[in-house]
Amino acid sequence: MSGPTPETRRQVLGRDGWKCAICGRNIDSYWSGYSIHHRLKRSQGHGYKGLHQAGNLLPLCGSGSDGCHGWVHDQAGTIAYQLGYLVHPWQTPTGVPVYYPRHGWQQLDDDGQRQPVQPPEGMPSYIPDIHHPKGTNQ
């Protein structure tokens, strides 16, 4: 399989209210510039059975080079990992919380659900502003 199934895509979009997980922009039929982002990169997930499952996926506006999706990849190695938008190959995505500016720290599962959790050690519970150098117009 080369990507998430249509059902998994619907789960992920529904879980996050058809909005970008970072900026909150609507990504339903009104604005189609979005992608389903893999927190554990596809290039690093060979052999990981959950690669295309909801716990590894986030709806983000833009593509891998623009919008919030582009911002995540521009921040690779820094804040994107700290905020859970990317996970390292030795980590399990469902074990790494992700920060939603609108909802705080959340734990994702492969059933398409998310639950509030405490922030990871050393991270604040609330981050007042995430700057997007190539991000959306907020």
Side-chain angles (χ1 to χ4, degrees):
M1 179 186 300
S2 62
T5 65
E7 176 59 30
T8 299
R9 293 175 69 82
R10 281 189 295 277
Q11 274 186 328
V12 169
L13 291 165
R15 174 192 69 205
D16 294 325
W18 294 79
K19 295 181 184 303
C20 174
I22 297 175
C23 73
R25 174 179 271 181
N26 286 329
I27 55 175
D28 58 10
S29 60
Y30 173 73
W31 188 72
S32 61
Y34 80 94
S35 51
I36 300 292
H37 165 69
H38 288 76
R39 298 170 63 211
L40 172 62
K41 296 177 186 179
R42 287 187 280 191
S43 63
Q44 297 173 332
H46 300 293
Y48 175 61
K49 293 182 181 190
L51 186 63
H52 302 302
Q53 298 299 313
N56 189 42
L57 305 172
L58 290 173
L60 297 179
C61 67
S63 68
S65 61
D66 63 3
C68 289
H69 199 173
W71 177 80
V72 165
H73 288 288
D74 283 347
Q75 300 300 312
T78 56
I79 195 157
Y81 284 98
Q82 293 173 331
L83 297 175
Y85 304 140
L86 290 173
V87 298
H88 296 285
W90 60 85
Q91 296 174 304
T92 302
T94 55
V96 177
V98 63
Y99 184 75
Y100 284 75
R102 293 178 331 275
H103 306 292
W105 291 97
Q106 302 283 310
Q107 196 77 44
L108 307 182
D109 67 32
D110 286 338
D111 293 327
Q113 303 296 313
R114 60 180 160 81
Q115 299 296 322
V117 293
Q118 293 296 314
E121 188 173 329
M123 293 299 292
S125 60
Y126 175 71
I127 300 167
D129 192 18
I130 297 175
H131 296 283
H132 303 168
K134 285 182 153 181
T136 58
N137 298 326
Q138 295 188 65

